[in-house]
Each structure stands twice: as C-alpha cells, then as structure tokens.
Amino acid sequence: MTKQIKEYIPVVGKQLIDELYLVAGRLKRFKIQNINSTISGGGVAEILSRMVPLMKDLGLSVRWDALEAGDKFFTITKKIHNALHGMDVNLTDKEYQYFLDVNEKNKKKVAVDSDIVYIHDPQPIALITENKNRDKKWLWRCHVDFSKPQEAVWAFLKEFIQKYDTSVFSAPAFARKLDCRQVLVAPSIDPLSDKNKTLEQRQVDSVLEKYGIDKDKPIITQISRFDYLKDPLGVIRSYRLVKKYIDCQLILAGGGATDDPNTAEVLKKAEDLASVDKDIFILHLPGQSHLEINALQRASTVILQKSLREGFGLTVCEALWKEKPVIASAVGGIPLQIAHKYSGILTYTIEGTAYWIKQLIQEPEYAKRLGVHGKKHVANNFLITRHIQDYLLLFLSLYNESNVVDLG
Ligand code: UDP
C-alpha cells in the first residue's frame, strides 16, 4: 500500500520530514527519472517501489522506467554482474555488442526526457547520450560491490561511467578511482512497507501453518533470490551440521527476478540437496510476497545471509529491523550493517555459520541483545527517509556544483 510521507513522523520524527519538504520544494521544477533493469525482484526494485511514491508525495515529478530486454540480454548482464563481483567470467565481443544494441534500442523505447536521469546499475549504463555538464544531469547508481572487478569488464563500463555527472556508491570500499564526481549513499528499507511493518502474531502463525512449519521448533531462515552468490547450498550444509545436535528447521525462501536467468537452475540444486529432509522448507515465492516474507522473518529464531558476494544485502536490514539475530557473511555491504558480536554475527565459512547458529539457538538472551542493537543501528542509518534526504540533497548539489566537496 502506498504511504504518505507524513506517516513516517512517528518513526523518524517531524524535523526530518519537515526537512524533506524543504529540500523537495527546491526541486519541484525538475523532472526526475529512474531507470533500472526490472520492476520486480532484487533490492533495487524493492527500494524504487517504495521510494518513487514517497517522492511523488513530497510534490516531486518522478518516474521509474525499466529496460525492455529478454533472456539473452540478462544472461550477458548477469555475467557482467558476476565479473564485477570479481568472478572469472568470459564475455565475448559479440556479447558486448549485444549489450550495446539493447541499450541503443531502449533509447527509443524508454523516453529519456527528464532533467535528472538516474540510471541504476550496469544494465542500462549505455543509455547515456550526452557528456557531462549539458542541460540534463546524468547520475549513475552502483548497487554492486565494485572493489575488485574483473579488469576487462571494468574497463568497458568505466568508459560510460565517466560520462556521467556523478556516480553514487553504497559504501566507501566499493568506490573506484574515476574522472567523475563520486558520492556515497547507503541503501535503505521502508519500515512501513508490507515487508517490514509490525504484524500480529496470528498473521505470523497463519503463514507458518500454510507451509506446515512447526512454530515450536527453532527456525533458521534465509530470504534470497535463488542465486549461487546467495549460497543456498552452503546454507543447507550449515544447517545439516547444526541438525546433528539440535532439532531445528530451515526455511530457504525467495523467488527470482526478471533480470536473473539462473533462478530455476539454482532452485533445482537446492531442492535436490534438501529432498530427504522434511524439516527443510524451500519456498519459491511469487514476486509480491511481502507479507509472507515479513511473517517468515518474524517467525525465525535465527536469520542467515550467507552470501558469497553481496551488494548491500537489504535482507540483513530487514531482519535486524525485526530485532532478529542475524548471522551473515562478511562481504559487500553486510559489515556496514553488522558489528560483529554487537548487532549480529559475521562469518566466513559453512562451519563458522553452523557454530554460530548453535550458539544463538542455545543462548536466546544473547541472541535477543544482538537483535535489539541491530534494530537501533538500522533506525539510525538505513531507513528510507534518510535515503530520500540523501538523494534530494544530491539532486540539489547537481545545480550548485561550487558548493560540492569532490570525493573523487
Ligand atoms: N526479496 C523478495 N522476494 C524474494 C527474494 C527477495 O521480496 O523472493 C526481497 C528481499 O526481501 C529484499 C530484496 O528482495 O528486500 C533483496 O535485496 P538484497 O539487497 O538482499 O539482494 P539482491 O537480490 O538485490 O541481490
């Protein structure tokens, strides 16, 4: 359900909301346009689906368009994604050319007619038609951990990135040396969305009943797209090590994204590995299962995010917001969200993850403290209102460049 910005006053206070109105007032004459690769699935769509209506409610003229493309394009962009995460992938000249062709076609399909064009991630990066300092302002938002990219792919993308007025990264460690202005803006979750709002216990219980999950037995959960980089198979192996000592259940819940062509293959591998164990629940959820995901997170004893690579990892924030103890890999933006042994647990291996699952199930008071600290950290740093504020100030800075500190 669409929210109004005033509804956030009880969560973040009136002053911040007043400031949002103040800054938004200075941006009303500009048309703002977001372009990414999918309207459903993954963190970018999650954020835009919440943020665009709230910006409209602030009186801004904001649009959100997704690229029109098929599996062939998304197979290539998945390779690019993996290469940016440092994996060894081989992209051919034909694949690069196909990537450029699809971007070229989209220049006509997606009317790029706004004053501020905000391009998200590599898929639409080649939509940029002008160099910097022209009438339009072009921003490129990187949601990926860019710290150790494969050089060839990096060189290809860098040509485009440097045409933008500004590039935006989620964490200092992700940024690269570039000839354009760089700024840091952390992602966020929406505390009032169906995914994160408070639920009644009966709503949580009814989701458990629907899937035949026992609410009296510890529940370990990972919510993620079925993607190798989220390591669902590693999660099952960690759970197996715990299961030798503690009678518990595992939920692996998630769907795919229209820009991720590997979902079916990874899902099948997870199902094969899990098949003999009735305490493993592999739930392939449709795109808009926000209330169910909320309920599953709230029902969990421990939440995992055992990613091998990660951009930011919104699911960590979502779990912490629900005061859940989270065990997550120390990759990408996850260490920004978790201070080890204070607001969650950071691990590196299957065995380490299993060790900490056992500890947290056996020490509920300690687990609870981690969750309480985690929620405070999210409240202070990763809510959507702070995110909107950062973006509005960034947009304003595009027109006041002499006041800008160059972080490049
Ligand atoms: N998500 C969802 N349905 C799913 C799997 C994930 O709604 O089946 C949501 C999840 O709750 C989170 C986002 O998609 O809000 C995933 O963002 P994250 O940054 O964790 O990972 P990404 O998928 O972008 O790599």
Side-chain angles (χ1 to χ4, degrees), residues 7 25 34 45 73 146 162 182 200 204 231 317 323 365 405:
E7 293 178 69
N34 292 278
F73 177 75
F146 239 54
Q162 302 206 130
Q182 297 183 59
E200 289 173 24
V204 175
D231 201 18
C317 258
E323 295 195 350
E365 282 307 312
V405 178

Side-chain angles (χ1 to χ4, degrees), residues 35-104:
I35 306 175
N36 79 324
S37 60
T38 174
I39 52 157
S40 148
V44 182
E46 180 84 16
I47 291 169
L48 287 174
S49 68
R50 304 304 306 173
M51 186 177 273
V52 170
L54 288 175
M55 285 188 170
K56 283 186 180 159
D57 189 49
L58 281 164
L60 296 169
S61 163
V62 192
R63 272 174 55 186
W64 172 19
D65 297 290
L67 280 184
E68 283 184 32
D71 270 2
K72 183 173 172 187
F73 177 75
F74 291 128
T75 303
I76 294 167
T77 56
K78 187 74 198 263
K79 278 181 155 185
I80 292 177
H81 179 83
N82 289 341
L84 291 176
H85 275 302
M87 288 171 67
D88 194 18
V89 296
N90 181 29
L91 275 138
T92 63
D93 288 346
K94 270 192 177 163
E95 287 174 318
Y96 282 123
Q97 191 54 51
Y98 191 79
F99 173 89
L100 294 175
D101 291 347
V102 171
N103 268 265
E104 194 58 39

Side-chain angles (χ1 to χ4, degrees), residues 42-43 46 195 224-225 230 254-255 290 293 310 313-315 318:
E46 180 84 16
K195 179 77 57 66
S224 273
R225 290 179 294 103
K230 307 288 182 182
H290 304 308
I293 289 174
E310 192 53 81
L314 281 185
T315 48
E318 290 164 4

